Amino acid sequence: MRIILVLSIIISFFNCIGGVKDQHPDPYYHETGGWDYRRMPLTKPLELISNDKITWGVIGYKANIYSITSINKMKCVDSLHYLFRSLGTVYIKGVEYNQAWFIADIKDKSIDGYTDYQIFTDLLNMKYNIQIDTATWKSPDDYYKEFVKIRKLPWIPDWKENR
């Protein structure tokens, strides 16, 4: 019985060493949450948080005038622009809506929200020269499952090349 316990501890130890070696050196990019919430990093300082294991919300800009919750689809365009679609209660400048689309611009540290899909797509094209294909959008849950499994997402900076 002791041998099994000792072997279990040794195997756990080596598994931990291997996992730490492959993690991003910045804890911001490898923390997945806590006991009562799930967390997924976007490009600093944005992150997605889920407190109820169902809905996701964006946090990160202190002067945010949006309450972006109920995110059901998202897309990272180029690690500088994130697109979100929210279904559910969403607040834009204090007014409640039941759906909205958002553009998070990392360079400008801004988030713009739209309740009209056509205005959203027109602005993406005019201001950012981005054409969107909503078929390529994924749910935050899909990204989170990938993140927990391999601790890597398409927009997380690659630290191995910068060593």
Side-chain angles (χ1 to χ4, degrees), residues 119-155:
I119 293 173
F120 169 72
T121 57
D122 289 348
L123 185 92
L124 275 175
N125 190 20
M126 289 185 307
K127 185 174 180 182
Y128 300 107
N129 196 27
I130 295 172
Q131 301 287 327
I132 63 166
D133 175 11
T134 55
T136 63
W137 291 37
K138 292 171 71 173
S139 77
D141 284 330
D142 290 340
Y143 281 117
Y144 184 74
K145 288 173 190 170
E146 179 182 342
F147 178 57
V148 168
K149 186 175 179 181
I150 63 172
R151 294 291 201 273
K152 186 86 175 109
L153 290 166
W155 54 81

Side-chain angles (χ1 to χ4, degrees), residues 53-65:
K53 306 267 188 211
I54 298 169
T55 58
W56 289 90
V58 178
I59 61 171
Y61 293 133
K62 292 184 190 321
N64 195 349
I65 56 174

